[in-house]
């Protein structure tokens, strides 16, 4: 029987059955892009290893990452995710407050030196000695440096912690920066998005607990399993992009037909995330599928990438586009080609019909003469 301190032992005490536990392991293996054999490996790790002690700090943010983390589609999945870790400090979810809360964080650092995970949600203000985010009388910068010192690894949740998000947008009045801009001597997993998808967050923690190492990361420190492809690559509207059929304004006929949203600001071709693959709310949908353009929330500087214009301003240059022209030109050319093709088709159809009618008339005259 699993011990009380393991993840699975804790789940059993909470009444989660074996079948649901194995379903969770299967989903995590698939989400991480691992083979079918990984399900048993994940299950064994969660049955035998102790839960990860975690300090989860909220700095300059709106708490949307925590909201995403706890709001999975199925209650059992939410219970599994929250019980996978020993969440010893989280201002949003813990019952303790004030001195008792801070004492809990100190206890984790002392008893689990070099073996706890520091999760950061939010950017860090550095202007004016960091006074724009103060907790228990201490600046966010000081707290981050202290708690990162003996952490096993750091998870930067959301775009605030990974790239600064809206707080660092021009003119960046608080001097907001990302975790990686301050901490240089610890392994950091960047999990961008505003917020990240719950299953992505669960996948990162599952990988850490199962394999006791960081998942494979890209050049920006993001897990390749979830940020290895553009939203554009698996978008349900991709065929319309390739055909040059774009929504020109909301509620036009193209919007009603489900055409590509690129010209009304969609940043899918420039954004790396799992939205079009995993989708949100248990695979129900994601912004583009629901009719709204992607705003590129997992990319650095997405608030400023349109040059101070609206988020609904599209970018003409698309990385990897091999048609030799920008999207505006391509859209016009594609539509022009479609119109020209329709005209040619109509012309050929008219000629064919005229020839057919002439042949039918000849047969009719011959039959009449034969009669």
């Amino acid at each position: 029987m699993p011990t009380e301190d393991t993840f699975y032992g804790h789940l059993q005490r909470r009444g989660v059955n074996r079948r649901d536990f194995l379903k969770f392991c299967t989903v995590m293996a698939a989400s991480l892009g691992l083979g079918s054999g990984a399900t048993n490996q994940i299950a064994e790790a969660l049955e035998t290893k102790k839960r990860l002690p975690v300090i989860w700090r909220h700095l300059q943010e709106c708490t949307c990452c925590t909201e995403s983390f706890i709001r999975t589609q199925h209650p059992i999945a939410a219970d599994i995710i929250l019980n996978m870790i020993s969440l010893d400090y989280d201002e949003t979810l813990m019952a303790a407050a004030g001195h008792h809360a801070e004492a809990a964080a100190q206890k984790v650092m002392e008893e689990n030196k070099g073996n706890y995970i520091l999760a950061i949600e939010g950017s860090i203000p550095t202007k004016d000695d960091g006074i724009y985010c103060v907790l228990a009388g201490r600046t966010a910068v000081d707290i981050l440096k202290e708690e990162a010192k003996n952490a096993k690894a750091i998870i930067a949740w959301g775009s605030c912690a990974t790239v600064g998000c809206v707080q660092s947008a021009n003119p960046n009045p608080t001097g907001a920066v990302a975790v990686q801009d301050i901490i240089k001597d610890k392994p950091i997993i960047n999990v961008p998005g505003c917020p990240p998808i719950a299953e992505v967050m669960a996948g990162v923690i599952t990988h850490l607990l199962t394999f006791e190492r960081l998942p494979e990361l890209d050049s920006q420190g993001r897990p390749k399993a979830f940020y290895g492809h553009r939203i554009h690559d698996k978008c349900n509207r991709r065929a319309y992009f390739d055909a040059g059929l774009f929504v020109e304004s909301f509620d036009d006929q193209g919007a009603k037909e489900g055409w590509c949203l690129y010209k009304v600001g969609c940043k899918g071709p420039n954004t790396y995330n799992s939205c079009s693959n995993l989708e949100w709310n248990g695979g129900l949908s994601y912004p583009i599928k629901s009719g709204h353009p992607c705003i590129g929330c997992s990319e650095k500087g997405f608030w400023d990438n349109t040059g101070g214009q609206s988020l609904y301003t599209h970018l003409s240059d698309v990385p990897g586009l091999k048609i030799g022209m920008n999207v505006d030109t391509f859209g016009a050319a594609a539509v022009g080609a479609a119109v020209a093709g329709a005209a040619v088709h109509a012309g050929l159809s008219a000629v064919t019909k005229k020839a057919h009618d002439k042949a039918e008339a000849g047969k009719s005259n011959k039959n009449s003469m034969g009669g």
Side-chain angles (χ1 to χ4, degrees), residues 51 62 115 131 148 257 321 326:
R51 295 186 299 154
C62 68
N115 197 42
I131 63 171
E257 296 292 337
L321 192 62
N326 67 32

Side-chain angles (χ1 to χ4, degrees), residues 71-262:
R71 295 181 187 277
T72 56
Q73 181 69 7
H74 306 290
I76 291 177
D79 192 49
I80 287 175
I81 294 169
L82 284 174
N83 287 291
M84 184 184 299
I85 58 178
S86 177
L87 191 57
D88 298 301
Y89 182 96
D90 186 316
E91 296 104 320
T92 303
L93 301 177
M94 68 193 304
H99 296 296
H100 295 292
E102 296 307 311
Q106 289 296 326
K107 183 179 180 181
V108 173
M109 289 187 284
E110 292 170 4
E111 295 182 355
N112 301 279
K113 190 174 182 178
N115 197 42
Y116 63 88
I117 299 297
L118 175 60
I120 299 294
E121 184 175 344
S123 62
I124 303 92
T126 58
K127 191 175 180 180
D128 299 327
D129 297 322
I131 63 171
Y132 300 107
C133 184
V134 176
L135 297 87
R138 301 176 61 204
T139 65
V141 175
D142 289 341
I143 292 172
L144 173 61
K145 289 180 178 179
E146 180 192 28
E147 296 180 344
K149 183 178 180 180
N150 292 313
K152 182 177 184 178
I154 299 172
I155 303 176
W157 291 133
S159 292
C160 296
T162 60
V163 294
C165 202
V166 62
Q167 296 91 315
S168 66
N170 187 52
N172 192 2
T174 67
V177 299
V179 173
Q180 61 190 349
D181 295 324
I182 296 177
I183 305 301
K184 303 291 185 180
D185 59 349
K186 290 290 179 179
I188 299 174
I189 306 172
N190 287 324
V191 188
C194 192
I197 300 171
E199 286 73 18
V200 171
M201 301 174 79
V204 170
I205 292 175
T206 300
H207 192 285
L208 283 173
L209 186 58
T210 302
F211 303 106
E212 297 185 341
R213 65 176 185 270
L214 272 63
E216 186 179 2
L217 306 177
D218 65 11
S219 60
Q220 297 184 37
R222 305 173 299 191
K224 285 186 176 181
F226 303 113
Y227 298 92
H229 299 279
R230 299 176 301 171
I231 291 176
H232 182 65
D233 297 332
K234 297 184 178 181
C235 179
N236 61 297
R237 298 175 186 247
R238 173 65 186 267
Y240 293 109
F241 177 93
D242 294 338
L245 298 174
F246 299 99
V247 175
E248 299 287 345
S249 63
F250 292 107
D251 291 328
D252 68 6
Q253 189 58 38
K256 295 175 183 177
E257 296 292 337
W259 289 3
C260 178
L261 297 166
Y262 193 79

Side-chain angles (χ1 to χ4, degrees), residues 7-8 11 17-47 76-77 80-81 84 199 202-203 206-207 210-211 226 278:
F7 168 56
Y8 183 50
L11 287 180
N17 62 47
R18 178 78 179 170
R19 176 174 293 182
D20 289 327
F21 169 68
L22 290 176
K23 283 182 180 179
F24 173 79
C25 295
T26 302
V27 170
M28 287 297 100
S31 298
L32 289 165
L34 304 176
S36 57
T39 298
N40 292 333
Q41 190 175 1
I42 292 174
E44 182 180 355
L46 300 184
E47 286 174 333
I76 291 177
I80 287 175
I81 294 169
M84 184 184 299
E199 286 73 18
T206 300
H207 192 285
T210 302
F211 303 106
F226 303 113
L278 296 177

Side-chain angles (χ1 to χ4, degrees), residues 10 13 83 158 299 326 333 335:
H10 196 74
R13 187 167 64 86
N83 287 291
E299 294 300 311
N326 67 32
V335 172

